[in-house]
Amino acid sequence: IDVLTFVSYLGLLGFRYSRAATVASPCGGHHYVTAPSVKPPQPQADDVTEKILNQPLEKPDFFRVAELFSLKDLFDARVHLGHKKGCRHRLMEPYLYGCRLDHDIIDLDQTMEHLQLALNFTAHIAYRGGIILFVSRRRQFGHLVETTAKDCGEYAHTRYWQGGLLTNANIQYGPGVRLPDLIIFLSTLNNVFQQHVGIRDAAKMNIPTVGVVDSNCNPSLVTYPVPGNDDTPAAVELYCRLFKMTINRAKDRRKQMELLHGLSAPTSQTSRYALK
Amino acid sequence: NLAAAGPEKFTLEYIQKQVEEYEIGKRHLANMMGEDSENFTQEDIDLFDFIYLFFLLKQICFYFQHPDEIFPKQRAVQWGADGRPFHFLFYTGKQSYYSLMHDLYGKILKIEKHQDRLRAKGLFSQDAQLISLGPSRWLTKEELELLLVETISTHDYDRFIKLMERMLAMPYSSTEEEFVQRYRRQLEAQSMKQMMPPLEKDENGVAFSTAEGRRKTSDSSVILRDCGSGHITINGQDYLQYFPVLQDREQLMFPLQFMGVLGRFNLECTVSGGGRSSQAGALRLAISRALLSFLSEGDGEAMRQAGLLTPDPRVRERKKPGQEGARRKFTWKKR
């Protein structure tokens, strides 16, 4: 799945929201609800933002996420350890390297590729100022996931998932709420060993997902599955660290690009137009 | 009562308009009363009589309190102009409650790390300072809801209390005392000590004490003098004259006889209201209270246990309509 289609889709999503944002019109602050699509007052700023947004799409690994981890790191963090043969999910069989003494071993070469794709995608989303939601229903790692999200400046949900959070958002949160642009599942199962409701809801709401799928999980609805262990603390800490680094890297890169192209001190207004 | 009107959403503009009207009303009031309109504070408003003012003020509605205290606190919009929510736990739905739990758990982890560090140095001791909380109670569910400005279920509240208790049970939790105290309320200190009337001395050097007592509709006041004669006067009359019935005189004597100080004190009593028995009961309570200042702690405790210091709460129950008396019903007729 190439990044371009998703990014252009995001562009559409962003366009929907820009109408709600207050517009600094030259006549001094009045904005009309019935006005059609808003033309930005500064065409130069628009060109610059277009350039900033399109530049990362030229290279395959613009943010160099492949440098963040190596196969040895994955092995040391015990990412290759799956569950027992009896717990194996049928759709996970392509991702498994083999089975030793009834324990499934996940193929780390495939994990490397998938993780690279997932991190690259996350970086692009973070670069364009998207909302990222970290989800995990494991009580062991709830605090860690929440701290990771806080450090990145993104959002987390490690608690009981109420049914209408994504699908009934306008009533649950209030009208005009913005939904996450990416959901990262650090464990796709909930406490009863069933697939997390968020995966299905995200698919319904056209929200891309990145998910760490273990050998007992169903990878079919996840947009960027990352086959790997989700039970060991070392593995989960590795994932949290990697996601945090990619997001921070992407955001810093964005700030750099804006300063480089001479945009006046990036106010909250200009960075919001980025999604258009 | 607007605060109890349920989860109505008052818009920000409406509340701002109310605040402006409140300010204007305050100025009108100050001008009318001839006070200084600039420095007219809430306390000055509270001093006024409500009905009198209602007709004077030109506005139809004037809140005698600042609208912020009347309208329930509501949430402002949770996200900025770009749509990004302000709080990192916004998408959970209960952001303040979950962020509180997150912070609490973070503090528990910090304490555990501290313990590990001390263990590594060999300085860990099991019975090190637990938090001293004093006479206090946990915040009730309603108070917590007010604090967090969002509704929580009983289950959530119980989990919060359990986690707090778990943190308090750990050694070295005294580092987080300030955080814990924010979620405790002080209990009014219930003193076990009796309220003793003070012991005074009159011109002749005689020690005396005064006490009051009530029973049903009688009020009594007693002055106990440490003379040594055992003389009793009620409303100017001798007690034999005032209480011809033995039972009433026994009630008077009982506190003194219980303590074994029958002949020691002089009693000068005044009593009004009620009937003969209730006046005797009121006097008995007053005498027991006055006696406290002459006796030791142990004797006082003995009196309390005997029931001499407890005011009798029984009063006449009202008659109800459809019944003959307070409890007696009309005769039931089968047909």
Side-chain angles (χ1 to χ4, degrees):
Chain A
I1 306 160
D2 72 324
V3 181
L4 268 169
T5 43
F6 267 107
V7 155
S8 53
Y9 197 85
L10 256 188
L12 286 174
L13 279 175
F15 191 63
R16 198 176 350 133
Y17 295 117
S18 69
R19 246 188 274 151
T22 51
V23 176
S25 63
C27 56
H30 296 288
H31 54 278
Y32 303 97
V33 173
T34 49
S37 52
V38 174
K39 283 219 171 58
Q42 302 129 2
Q44 282 165 338
D46 202 36
D47 282 339
V48 174
T49 41
E50 290 281 343
K51 198 166 154 202
I52 292 179
L53 291 178
N54 289 333
Q55 202 168 347
L57 302 175
E58 287 149 19
K59 290 195 211 155
D61 194 5
F62 182 71
F63 299 99
R64 300 201 305 270
V65 292
E67 300 168 355
L68 291 173
F69 62 99
S70 67
L71 204 129
K72 182 156 195 319
D73 292 336
L74 294 183
F75 185 81
D76 290 334
R78 308 192 268 279
V79 164
H80 58 289
L81 300 173
H83 287 275
K84 285 245 190 181
K85 192 167 77 178
C87 291
R88 196 192 299 168
H89 193 100
R90 212 188 126 176
L91 295 170
M92 286 298 288
E93 279 160 19
Y95 299 118
L96 297 179
Y97 183 74
C99 184
R100 163 89 171 156
L101 293 172
D102 268 8
H103 280 88
D104 285 334
I105 310 291
I106 297 170
D107 190 358
L108 282 183
D109 293 319
Q110 292 189 54
T111 306
M112 284 278 284
E113 293 164 15
H114 282 91
L115 191 53
Q116 211 163 321
L117 286 172
L119 288 176
N120 187 33
F121 184 65
T122 328
H124 279 273
I125 297 260
Y127 181 83
R128 298 167 94 83
I131 294 181
I132 301 179
L133 183 65
F134 286 85
V135 174
S136 163
R137 198 60 180 101
R138 297 200 67 117
R139 286 186 58 179
Q140 213 179 348
F141 308 119
H143 188 83
L144 173 65
V145 171
E146 285 180 344
T147 349
T148 319
K150 213 194 310 202
D151 293 336
C152 301
E154 299 295 341
Y155 307 86
H157 185 108
T158 56
R159 309 287 175 163
Y160 177 73
W161 183 277
Q162 283 177 320
L165 281 193
L166 292 182
T167 41
N168 202 15
N170 277 329
I171 298 171
Q172 293 237 332
Y173 301 119
V177 71
R178 185 177 150 184
L179 287 180
D181 299 309
L182 171 66
I183 303 187
I184 302 183
F185 285 91
L186 284 138
S187 163
T188 47
L189 297 182
N190 62 17
N191 288 346
V192 212
F193 299 106
Q194 289 165 347
Q195 199 188 35
H196 200 286
V197 178
I199 299 178
R200 188 202 69 193
D201 283 353
K204 277 190 188 175
M205 304 299 291
N206 287 340
I207 299 173
T209 39
V210 166
V212 174
V213 280
D214 205 350
S215 60
N216 56 351
C217 307
N218 183 354
S220 45
L221 278 179
V222 183
T223 338
Y224 288 92
V226 177
N229 191 2
D230 61 5
D231 304 290
T232 321
V236 177
E237 276 167 24
L238 174 77
Y239 299 134
C240 286
R241 211 185 73 223
L242 287 175
F243 281 116
K244 187 162 63 171
M245 275 158 58
T246 26
I247 292 172
N248 286 334
R249 216 184 239 203
K251 287 185 174 171
D252 292 336
R253 199 62 196 274
R254 177 56 187 261
K255 285 200 196 101
Q256 265 179 13
M257 295 290 256
E258 283 178 345
L259 288 173
L260 197 65
H261 290 270
L263 271 180
S264 58
T267 56
S268 35
Q269 295 278 337
T270 41
S271 54
R272 268 156 246 144
Y273 282 119
L275 269 188
K276 275 206 298 197
Chain B
N1 184 12
L2 283 157
E8 283 168 47
K9 306 269 186 223
F10 296 106
T11 52
L12 215 61
E13 295 94 24
Y14 179 76
I15 295 184
Q16 274 170 350
K17 208 178 67 165
Q18 298 299 316
V19 173
E20 280 162 18
E21 280 186 19
Y22 170 79
E23 295 291 330
I24 294 169
K26 208 163 85 165
R27 283 174 176 275
H28 275 315
L29 192 60
N31 288 333
M32 260 182 263
M33 297 296 126
E35 308 266 348
D36 183 10
S37 59
E38 293 297 322
N39 302 333
F40 202 62
T41 56
Q42 184 60 41
E43 289 138 2
D44 296 324
I45 300 179
D46 288 338
L47 289 172
F48 286 112
D49 199 14
F50 286 66
I51 303 168
Y52 173 58
L53 287 172
F54 183 76
F55 296 102
L56 282 185
L57 284 171
K58 290 166 194 151
Q59 276 167 241
I60 302 197
C61 178
F62 176 58
Y63 297 118
F64 284 90
Q65 280 173 303
H66 198 268
D68 280 346
E69 284 154 42
I70 304 178
F71 291 97
K73 270 203 199 138
Q74 275 172 96
R75 294 211 136 151
V77 175
Q78 301 292 318
W79 51 86
D82 60 347
R84 287 189 78 107
F86 298 126
H87 200 274
F88 78 109
L89 289 176
F90 170 76
Y91 288 105
T92 56
K94 300 186 239 180
Q95 65 184 46
S96 339
Y97 170 73
Y98 284 134
S99 100
L100 171 65
M101 296 296 271
H102 172 77
D103 292 336
L104 186 51
Y105 193 69
K107 300 225 184 283
I108 291 181
L109 290 177
K110 208 168 88 172
I111 296 176
E112 281 178 358
K113 249 202 220 166
H114 181 60
Q115 285 176 5
D116 290 337
R117 264 182 278 144
L118 289 176
R119 263 199 209 100
K121 289 186 199 164
L123 299 168
F124 180 78
S125 66
Q126 193 64 36
D127 44 305
Q129 330 100 348
L130 288 173
I131 299 185
S132 58
L133 292 162
S136 54
R137 59 168 175 85
W138 288 117
L139 233 51
T140 56
K141 180 163 158 280
E142 286 73 33
E143 288 169 351
L144 191 61
E145 281 182 355
L146 271 177
L147 194 70
L148 299 175
V149 197
E150 69 184 9
T151 44
I152 39 178
S153 72
T154 17
H155 183 67
D156 293 335
Y157 176 71
D158 290 335
R159 289 196 76 172
F160 168 67
I161 298 293
K162 279 202 188 114
L163 201 57
M164 280 288 207
E165 294 286 339
R166 184 178 144 191
M167 187 169 88
L168 291 182
M170 296 164 71
Y172 296 103
S173 47
S174 44
T175 38
E176 305 305 334
E177 185 166 336
E178 188 255 315
F179 177 77
V180 172
Q181 288 289 11
R182 259 187 271 160
Y183 300 98
R184 303 267 309 187
R185 288 280 173 272
Q186 298 293 64
L187 288 168
E188 298 85 31
Q190 288 149 1
S191 55
M192 300 300 287
K193 285 189 142 169
Q194 304 290 342
M195 286 295 300
M196 258 193 300
L199 199 63
E200 298 142 40
K201 277 207 169 208
D202 68 1
E203 310 96 35
N204 304 336
V206 173
F208 74 97
S209 66
T210 320
E212 287 175 357
R214 259 191 248 238
R215 169 94 214 276
K216 271 197 189 173
T217 38
S218 316
D219 280 302
S220 72
S221 163
V222 156
I223 305 175
L224 207 70
R225 284 201 174 76
D226 197 356
C227 298
S229 60
H231 200 59
I232 302 181
T233 320
I234 305 182
N235 284 355
Q237 292 178 6
D238 194 33
Y239 72 114
L240 279 173
Q241 263 191 313
Y242 197 83
F243 286 131
V245 182
L246 176 66
Q247 180 194 328
D248 305 331
R249 292 199 297 274
E250 264 181 359
Q251 287 285 303
L252 281 193
M253 291 303 133
F254 180 46
L256 308 171
Q257 182 239 340
F258 185 78
M259 290 286 106
V261 290
L262 264 176
R264 196 171 128 190
F265 294 102
N266 256 17
L267 294 173
E268 189 188 315
C269 323
T270 42
V271 68
S272 62
R276 117 179 165 236
S277 192
S278 73
Q279 282 186 346
L283 280 171
R284 185 182 106 166
L285 182 61
I287 292 169
S288 330
R289 282 182 180 162
L291 213 48
L292 270 182
S293 47
F294 289 98
L295 300 171
S296 60
E297 287 278 333
D299 289 342
E301 182 62 22
M303 278 227 280
R304 187 188 71 85
Q305 299 232 334
L308 281 166
L309 298 172
T310 322
D312 199 336
R314 297 177 290 175
V315 288
R316 187 177 154 273
E317 196 176 313
R318 69 161 273 199
K319 175 198 174 310
K320 284 109 192 168
Q323 292 176 355
E324 176 111 28
R327 299 287 171 101
R328 159 107 173 110
K329 319 281 185 284
F330 291 123
T331 313
W332 178 73
K333 292 200 177 73
K334 199 160 182 176
R335 43 185 76 82

